[in-house]
Amino acid sequence: MRLTKAGILLGGVYLAVVFIDPARGTVDANERVKEVVAANQLDRPLELALSEIADIRPTSMAERLRVSGDLEPINRAALHAKDGGKIIEVRAVAGQAVKAGDVLARFETDDLQSILKQREGDRDVAAAEMLLAMQSLNRIEQLTDKNIASQEQLDKARSEVAAATARLKSLSAQADIARTALRDAEVRAPFDGVISNRAINQGSRVGAGAELFMIVDTSILEAKVLVSTRDVHRVAIAQRAELHIDGLDGQTVVGRVDRISPVADHGTRFIPVYIRLSNGGARLRGGSFATGTILVRQNEDAIVIPAISLRKDETGDYVLKLKKGRLVRQPVTVGSGWGGSDSLEISEGLAYGDTIVTVPLPELRPDVTVTISKAG
């Protein structure tokens, strides 16, 4: 066996390999060069080891961007008191799961009920006054048609109807406001969720606008991660993310990129990216720390070669392809590189089943006859 600095393609993965001759110990790479030169001078076929060639086969390549950040619920709501008053009942505590429409707390309603009754009474009186005004206007219009009533009387009757209508609308609106205030005396959950904070107790008095509860929807969370401005162009909506969450014992949680902020964070100058996560089984908790990756690029059927296989001359890039026992110059077009990999994707020039030389020895050149050592 011989020492080379070649990369070897095994099952779609490139590995750096050092070969050791058990009889002679580690062989210096310069000795391999001498063997190649000697073979050329003697005009005999050059023997290549299996480790010095590679068969082109479909290779799965993936590029991932490392990220980290905190989990937060997407839907959350702080419930505030519409009006001030006394709390007479509290039905929810922190950590309790609630359904949309559940009553969480009640305010004292005696004064509100009295106000509503008064407003509804005033509205009913105004409705009766408007009815009388309309009946009066109808009579005046009939008398005016017979030239019995004057135009002045007609204008006055129409004005009284307009005033009665406006009064009825105003008092109806006041009754609606009183009814809404009575309804708001019951604090209800706006959506299914969990109470994360309770700021009131039974019997306490609160002012208008005071915070009562904080409720969060834990069914869907998002991880807010920060991506550098040089990498954010590689991130796109719906890309797959795999995250590890503190407290989940190494479990992988799969999510998707949901949103990308249009501006950088003022403190870090990084771009916030939001990854949506489904919280099946309620195992995720807001505020947890997450680390993982975003899959920014993937090719399941790439044609990939070790970077050391690529050669250059005055006409461009090429590799040495083995064809019927001879090395031939095969022009290639290099595609995109893969971050963190010592391999190159070839977009043109090679096909599945081709065999190429992976060692970068300069003495290997086109039209050289070669044989393959089965000993490897």
Side-chain angles (χ1 to χ4, degrees):
M1 300 180 67
R2 311 167 183 85
L3 172 68
T4 77
K5 295 183 179 179
I8 243 179
L9 178 62
L10 294 176
V13 179
Y14 284 104
L15 302 173
V17 181
V18 174
F19 299 96
I20 300 177
D21 188 325
R24 296 185 293 168
T26 303
V27 181
D28 189 271
N30 291 331
E31 291 192 27
R32 180 56 175 150
V33 175
K34 293 177 182 178
E35 292 178 13
V36 174
V37 173
N40 289 335
Q41 290 175 345
L42 296 175
D43 195 24
R44 59 180 172 81
L46 174 64
E47 185 180 276
L48 292 177
L50 289 175
S51 59
E52 298 172 328
I53 61 174
D55 294 329
I56 300 300
R57 66 189 67 177
T59 304
S60 176
M61 299 296 290
E63 188 171 355
R64 292 178 170 84
L65 184 66
R66 295 202 62 82
V67 295
S68 62
D70 296 322
L71 295 189
E72 293 295 341
I74 292 179
N75 297 323
R76 65 173 69 195
L79 306 183
H80 296 266
K82 297 291 183 65
D83 297 295
K86 180 181 179 180
I87 304 294
I88 61 172
E89 184 180 10
V90 179
R91 294 187 176 182
V93 294
Q96 178 179 336
V98 296
K99 296 290 186 179
D102 285 354
V103 175
L104 308 181
R106 295 179 188 273
F107 281 83
E108 190 175 47
T109 60
D110 292 346
D111 291 344
L112 295 176
Q113 289 175 344
S114 298
I115 293 173
L116 176 59
K117 289 179 180 179
Q118 180 182 350
R119 296 289 185 265
E120 288 177 336
D122 293 342
R123 179 202 59 195
D124 293 342
V125 171
E129 291 176 347
M130 188 186 74
L131 179 61
L132 290 175
M134 292 182 67
Q135 293 172 346
S136 177
L137 173 61
N138 186 49
R139 289 194 299 271
I140 295 297
E141 287 177 337
Q142 293 176 358
L143 293 174
T144 301
D145 291 340
K146 297 177 180 180
N147 294 322
I148 297 177
S150 65
Q151 183 65 39
E152 181 180 355
Q153 290 175 311
L154 179 60
D155 292 342
K156 181 180 179 181
R158 288 173 175 171
S159 176
E160 289 175 350
V161 169
T165 301
R167 175 174 168 76
L168 176 59
K169 289 181 178 179
S170 175
L171 292 175
S172 294
Q174 292 181 35
D176 289 341
I177 292 172
R179 190 176 298 107
T180 299
L182 184 59
R183 184 174 64 247
D184 289 341
E186 288 186 339
V187 181
R188 295 178 178 270
F191 50 76
D192 294 355
V194 177
I195 303 298
S196 63
N197 182 55
R198 188 189 81 176
I200 56 172
N201 292 303
Q202 183 172 328
S204 60
R205 285 190 171 274
V206 299
E211 182 174 317
L212 308 176
F213 298 94
M214 176 67 76
I215 181 173
V216 297
D217 176 7
T218 58
S219 63
I220 299 178
L221 286 82
E222 63 183 10
K224 177 185 176 182
V225 301
L226 298 179
V227 178
S228 68
T229 52
R230 74 172 180 273
D231 291 325
V232 74
H233 70 279
R234 301 157 61 195
V235 180
I237 302 300
Q239 284 177 338
R240 177 187 174 95
E242 296 181 355
L243 301 179
H244 297 281
I245 315 299
D246 282 356
L248 290 188
D249 298 327
Q251 298 180 45
T252 299
V253 179
V254 177
R256 300 283 175 180
V257 174
D258 184 58
R259 309 189 313 280
I260 302 173
S261 175
V263 296
D265 183 83
H266 291 295
T268 64
R269 312 309 301 174
F270 277 56
I271 305 294
V273 173
Y274 299 89
I275 299 171
R276 177 172 290 215
L277 305 169
S278 178
N279 192 16
R283 53 181 179 160
L284 306 180
R285 298 182 181 276
S288 299
F289 188 69
T291 59
T293 60
I294 297 174
L295 180 61
V296 296
R297 192 158 62 98
Q298 186 175 27
N299 188 343
E300 295 290 345
D301 300 307
I303 291 180
V304 179
I305 65 172
I308 58 174
S309 301
L310 187 68
R311 297 166 177 253
K312 295 179 182 289
D313 59 18
E314 64 278 2
T315 59
D317 295 332
Y318 72 98
V319 295
L320 290 178
K321 184 169 71 171
L322 184 61
K323 186 175 182 180
K324 296 180 179 180
R326 299 185 67 84
L327 299 180
V328 297
R329 184 187 186 279
Q330 178 60 54
V332 294
T333 301
V334 179
S336 303
W338 293 89
S341 173
D342 293 329
S343 58
L344 298 173
E345 182 177 357
I346 301 301
S347 59
E348 294 181 8
L350 292 175
Y352 302 142
D354 287 345
T355 300
I356 66 169
V357 174
T358 58
V359 289
L361 298 175
E363 287 74 14
L364 294 175
R365 58 183 184 273
D367 297 325
V368 170
T369 302
V370 297
T371 60
I372 307 301
S373 171
K374 300 303 182 181

